Amino acid sequence: MGLALVHGRARAGIRAPEVKVEVHLGGGLPSMSIVGLPEAAVREAKDRVRAAIQCAQYEFPARRITVNLAPADLPKGGGRFDLPIALGILAASGQIPADALRDWEFVGELGLTGELRAIDGALPAALAVAGTGRSLLVPAANGAEAALASDVAVHTARTLLEVCAMLGGQKSLPQAVPPPQRDLPTIDLRDVRGQAQARRALEIAAAGGHHLLLIGPPGCGKTLLASRLPGLLPPASEAEALETAAVLSVSGRGLDPSAWRTRPFRNPHHTASAVALVGGGAEPRPGEISLAHNGVLFLDELPEWQRHALEVLREPLESGVVTISRAARQSEFPARFQLVAAMNPCPCGWAGDVSSRCRCSSDVITRYRARISGPLLDRIDLHVDVPRLPPAALRPDAPGGEPSADVAARVASARDRQLARAGTLNAQLDQSATTRDCRLASKDQALLERAIEALHLSARSMHRILRVARTIADLDGSEAIATAHLTEALGYRGASGGRAPQT
């Protein structure tokens, strides 16, 4: 009777829980069974493992083989357990030393020739192994990604035969190293001509982490403005970048390890479904809001989105996480993103334009804007009208805008004040912190209350106005919120695409 234990890692959201692969060789007719809640790809591992072991010139035992993946109540999917199962069979049959497996964890899919193939979620596996004191072995194609976890020794192999030679002491395997970081092309805010109010709103959004809605006619620069927001944000910290990279690692879309510190900018098409936005599937995968974690999510043509798709954004905008529930499991993905949305003021796009070309009736405009629910608009801090520029402002010799580097310096200074004061950005302040850090003078409090009544705004809107005013004060270097800061914040709640808000 032979018994072996190999350590592996499953995938559950962006976590990588430990799985103990127990292999038992017993008497009876030759067979192989895999237990422990395996999905189809794991059950099919028996055929891949048999062929890989034989191609590596080892003997596949003609015994009754039982493979247990513990814990038994954790669903296991994908081909990541092929390598641990193969090593367990070889160790249980005495073909490789079982003691050599104690200090290692293994993940990898096997080809029929014994070649090791890449898997999803190598980075979360490496991050999880870091606290165990063991080393991790991954396929060579996953080496650069797994090496981003600096607190664990990651080694790579190309074939099952190489792994067995390493465990037998015949050779050493190379240690994975992260690739050098490459600088991606940057787009500068100086390309934006005019639009002083929208540029100011973009700076406030970057400084406080606020969500932003741009309302204007076609071609006025809404998309151009949104694409410049990532360039105003400070570089991601190592923890932020690793969390964002881990989401991309499990998404199945591939991770570029040489650009892992770049803040994401996601721009899904307005035909995307709710599942595409928040994630889902039989084996839950992250959606666009998680892929934009610690970055920017840009939703263009906001009224053209499906109503259901937009409504699923409500909870993530508040909580910063999304939980996908299935009958057998729950998967939680981070979703702390900055939303930038853009829309036309009416179906033809020209309501409020100085050309007076709009022919949409009031009822048509009302129905168009009603496609976006009030609760969703309530969660967007800054609403800004973006007017059409006169042709003279677009001439090649017209003055350019302020460069992103200058704005980013002010943004970084304002963020430092917020982090020193509350440990978080103003947009993420809870109610007690908002009450503490966003106090107003009595006359300003009365002004705010009159504005809330006049604009028919909710309590949530009032708190968001206070947080925006706090950000404006931070950009101004002010310890207290002054009247000018409050009135500017109120101005970002009155945007209406060229028409007065309905009361």
Side-chain angles (χ1 to χ4, degrees), residues 295-357:
V296 177
L297 176 67
F298 177 49
L299 301 184
D300 202 3
E301 306 295 346
L302 195 63
E304 304 300 332
W305 284 77
Q306 299 177 30
R307 179 71 172 257
H308 175 61
L310 291 180
E311 293 309 296
V312 299
L313 295 175
R314 289 194 199 178
E315 290 81 4
L317 284 173
E318 294 282 350
S319 65
V321 297
V322 58
T323 302
I324 301 171
S325 299
R326 295 292 180 264
R329 74 182 85 173
Q330 277 192 339
S331 295
E332 187 175 277
F333 297 102
R336 180 72 66 186
F337 59 92
Q338 261 189 274
L339 174 64
V340 180
M343 62 178 284
N344 295 327
C346 68
C348 77
W350 297 103
D353 188 71
V354 293
S355 64
S356 301
R357 72 178 79 178

Side-chain angles (χ1 to χ4, degrees), residues 105-186:
E105 295 198 14
F106 304 88
V107 291
E109 179 180 334
L110 286 173
L112 299 184
T113 62
E115 173 194 7
L116 284 180
R117 293 175 177 164
I119 59 161
D120 293 338
L123 177 57
L127 293 172
V129 173
T132 66
R134 292 189 283 266
S135 300
L136 176 66
L137 191 141
V138 299
N142 290 125
E145 173 188 330
L148 298 179
S150 57
D151 295 333
V152 60
V154 178
H155 294 262
T156 64
R158 298 188 180 277
T159 64
L160 174 62
L161 194 58
E162 287 186 357
V163 179
C164 295
M166 181 273 295
L167 294 172
Q170 285 95 37
K171 69 174 296 185
S172 59
L173 292 177
Q175 187 163 348
V177 294
Q181 289 298 292
R182 58 187 175 91
D183 295 328
L184 297 179
T186 57

Side-chain angles (χ1 to χ4, degrees), residues 21 28 108 163-164 172 225 254 276 287-288 318 405 464 472 481 490 493:
V21 181
V163 179
C164 295
S172 59
L225 284 160
E288 291 290 343
E318 294 282 350
R464 289 183 178 274
I472 296 170
I481 299 175
L490 287 169
R493 277 287 173 168

Side-chain angles (χ1 to χ4, degrees), residues 79-418:
R80 61 197 310 114
F81 299 106
D82 290 4
L83 178 59
I85 290 172
L87 294 175
I89 291 173
L90 293 174
S93 59
Q95 300 181 71
I96 62 173
D99 291 344
L101 299 172
R102 187 179 300 115
D103 297 327
W104 288 87
E105 295 198 14
F106 304 88
V107 291
E109 179 180 334
L110 286 173
L112 299 184
T113 62
E115 173 194 7
L116 284 180
R117 293 175 177 164
I119 59 161
D120 293 338
L123 177 57
L127 293 172
V129 173
T132 66
R134 292 189 283 266
S135 300
L136 176 66
L137 191 141
V138 299
N142 290 125
E145 173 188 330
L148 298 179
S150 57
D151 295 333
V152 60
V154 178
H155 294 262
T156 64
R158 298 188 180 277
T159 64
L160 174 62
L161 194 58
E162 287 186 357
V163 179
C164 295
M166 181 273 295
L167 294 172
Q170 285 95 37
K171 69 174 296 185
S172 59
L173 292 177
Q175 187 163 348
V177 294
Q181 289 298 292
R182 58 187 175 91
D183 295 328
L184 297 179
T186 57
I187 46 181
D188 203 288
L189 191 60
R190 83 164 68 236
D191 299 332
V192 180
R193 305 291 180 88
Q195 305 297 7
Q197 185 186 27
R199 291 167 58 93
R200 171 67 171 171
L202 205 65
E203 180 178 343
I204 295 169
H210 303 288
H211 306 305
L212 173 65
L213 173 62
L214 302 171
I215 309 170
C220 65
K222 302 186 294 293
T223 302
L224 190 70
L225 284 160
S227 66
R228 268 58 184 172
L229 179 56
L232 305 183
L233 303 176
S237 66
E238 182 175 356
E240 289 176 331
L242 280 174
E243 193 172 28
T244 304
V247 174
L248 196 56
S249 176
V250 303
S251 69
R253 307 181 188 209
L255 166 65
D256 181 0
S258 65
W260 70 289
R261 280 190 173 272
T262 304
R263 288 189 182 272
F265 179 82
R266 305 295 301 183
N267 182 13
H269 194 263
H270 66 263
T271 56
S273 66
V275 172
L277 271 182
V278 302
E283 185 180 352
R285 299 274 186 173
E288 291 290 343
I289 63 174
S290 295
L291 294 173
H293 181 59
N294 291 321
V296 177
L297 176 67
F298 177 49
L299 301 184
D300 202 3
E301 306 295 346
L302 195 63
E304 304 300 332
W305 284 77
Q306 299 177 30
R307 179 71 172 257
H308 175 61
L310 291 180
E311 293 309 296
V312 299
L313 295 175
R314 289 194 199 178
E315 290 81 4
L317 284 173
E318 294 282 350
S319 65
V321 297
V322 58
T323 302
I324 301 171
S325 299
R326 295 292 180 264
R329 74 182 85 173
Q330 277 192 339
S331 295
E332 187 175 277
F333 297 102
R336 180 72 66 186
F337 59 92
Q338 261 189 274
L339 174 64
V340 180
M343 62 178 284
N344 295 327
C346 68
C348 77
W350 297 103
D353 188 71
V354 293
S355 64
S356 301
R357 72 178 79 178
C358 178
R359 295 296 179 265
C360 300
S361 67
S362 297
D363 289 343
V364 169
I365 294 175
T366 299
R367 285 196 299 271
Y368 179 74
R369 297 182 184 175
R371 296 179 187 176
I372 310 168
S373 70
L376 178 60
L377 288 174
D378 218 23
R379 288 167 166 81
I380 300 178
D381 305 316
L382 304 164
H383 302 188
V384 182
D385 282 326
V386 186
R388 179 171 61 92
L389 290 175
L394 302 176
R395 295 173 55 179
D397 57 350
E402 188 178 15
S404 291
D406 294 350
V407 180
R410 296 196 296 269
V411 166
S413 179
R415 285 193 168 214
D416 289 343
R417 293 189 187 94
Q418 296 165 49

